[in-house]
Amino acid sequence: MKRMGVACCCVLVLVFLAAPLLAQQAPSNPTSPEVPQAVVDRLNQLEQKVTAAQLSADNAWMLVSAALVLMMTGPGLTLFYGGLVRQKNVLAIMMQSFALMALITVMWALVGYSLCFGGDGHFIGNLHMALLRGVGAAPNPDYAGTIPQSTFMIYQLMFAIITPALITGATAERMKFSGTVLFMALWFLIVYAPMAHMVWGKGGLLNAAAGGRYPTLDFAG
């Protein structure tokens, strides 16, 4: 029994000593076979088609969302505020909503979009994209890298339109049409554009995620 135990111990010692040598002499993993170039080209084409489909879906959804917000302004607020005023002022409040839609759209194209999303200042943008200069089919990686910048511009325009329209509920039957238009134009330039840039714009004071100073959570836009 002693001899058998000694023999077992010797065998175990030899196994432990030989294991590292066997591991070093083990053949390396065989190289993976080369993939044919035709397969690589097909995979690249498939990846491009998937990316294009994703971009198209993102673009379509953003346009649908913009249309829904526009419907909230046009038929929605117009009819809602029209039901809150006296019968003789229904047409006036409806025309205010549609007139402000036209006014803000023109101001947005002239300087509004650039003041909100141009540059990287803390308080307000610049005039680099005034008259929608450079806003086209190419995405803007600072804001929306999977949709055309023109789509992003239209989507943000809907919020710029509906905000003054909401304020008309406070001025209904209290201000003349000319005074409402003048007030909304000044309010858009002095209040909305700086706040939109500070919250949503690159480098905005309240947009720490894009280079700003203070982090904020926007539960509305």
Side-chain angles (χ1 to χ4, degrees), residues 114-121 123-127 193-194 197:
S114 186
L115 292 177
C116 293
F117 297 99
D120 55 358
F123 298 99
I124 198 169
N126 54 28
L127 298 178
H197 180 78

Side-chain angles (χ1 to χ4, degrees), residues 104 108 155-165 187-188 192:
I104 299 302
W108 185 258
Y155 178 71
Q156 293 295 336
L157 168 62
M158 299 301 105
F159 291 99
I161 285 176
I162 196 173
T163 308
W187 180 89
F188 175 78
Y192 184 86

Side-chain angles (χ1 to χ4, degrees), residues 120-144:
D120 55 358
H122 282 325
F123 298 99
I124 198 169
N126 54 28
L127 298 178
H128 179 70
M129 292 185 290
L131 300 175
L132 301 181
R133 182 170 57 248
V135 179
N140 187 342
D142 292 331
Y143 297 106

Side-chain angles (χ1 to χ4, degrees), residues 33-52:
E34 294 184 0
V35 181
Q37 185 63 33
V39 176
V40 175
D41 294 339
R42 291 292 298 274
L43 291 176
N44 291 334
Q45 292 177 4
L46 180 60
E47 183 178 358
Q48 292 176 0
K49 291 180 180 179
V50 171
T51 303

Side-chain angles (χ1 to χ4, degrees), residues 11 22 42 46 51-52 124 131 148 156 159 171-172 176 182 189 191 194 198 200 206 216:
V11 171
L22 293 175
R42 291 292 298 274
L46 180 60
T51 303
I124 198 169
L131 300 175
Q156 293 295 336
F159 291 99
T171 62
K176 292 183 178 180
L182 178 61
L189 294 174
V191 179
M198 284 191 285
W200 296 331
L206 304 178
T216 56

Side-chain angles (χ1 to χ4, degrees), residues 33-205:
E34 294 184 0
V35 181
Q37 185 63 33
V39 176
V40 175
D41 294 339
R42 291 292 298 274
L43 291 176
N44 291 334
Q45 292 177 4
L46 180 60
E47 183 178 358
Q48 292 176 0
K49 291 180 180 179
V50 171
T51 303
Q54 178 186 1
L55 298 181
S56 300
D58 291 348
N59 189 38
W61 173 243
M62 292 301 294
L63 290 175
V64 170
S65 301
L68 292 175
V69 179
L70 183 62
M71 291 178 63
M72 291 169 56
T73 307
L77 283 178
T78 299
L79 296 176
F80 177 68
Y81 287 152
L84 297 179
V85 298
R86 290 175 293 179
Q87 184 175 0
K88 66 176 183 178
N89 293 324
V90 171
L91 183 60
I93 195 66
M94 293 175 67
M95 289 307 299
Q96 283 187 17
S97 296
F98 286 109
L100 289 176
M101 289 171 62
L103 173 67
I104 299 302
T105 300
V106 173
M107 295 184 64
W108 185 258
L110 293 177
V111 295
Y113 179 73
S114 186
L115 292 177
C116 293
F117 297 99
D120 55 358
H122 282 325
F123 298 99
I124 198 169
N126 54 28
L127 298 178
H128 179 70
M129 292 185 290
L131 300 175
L132 301 181
R133 182 170 57 248
V135 179
N140 187 342
D142 292 331
Y143 297 106
T146 62
I147 60 174
Q149 188 174 3
S150 56
T151 300
F152 177 78
M153 180 272 298
I154 293 173
Y155 178 71
Q156 293 295 336
L157 168 62
M158 299 301 105
F159 291 99
I161 285 176
I162 196 173
T163 308
L166 288 169
I167 299 177
T168 58
T171 62
E173 297 183 336
R174 294 180 177 88
M175 291 180 65
K176 292 183 178 180
F177 177 75
S178 58
T180 301
V181 171
L182 178 61
F183 173 77
M184 292 303 174
L186 295 176
W187 180 89
F188 175 78
L189 294 174
I190 298 174
V191 179
Y192 184 86
M195 285 301 301
H197 180 78
M198 284 191 285
V199 176
W200 296 331
K202 179 182 179 182
L205 184 67

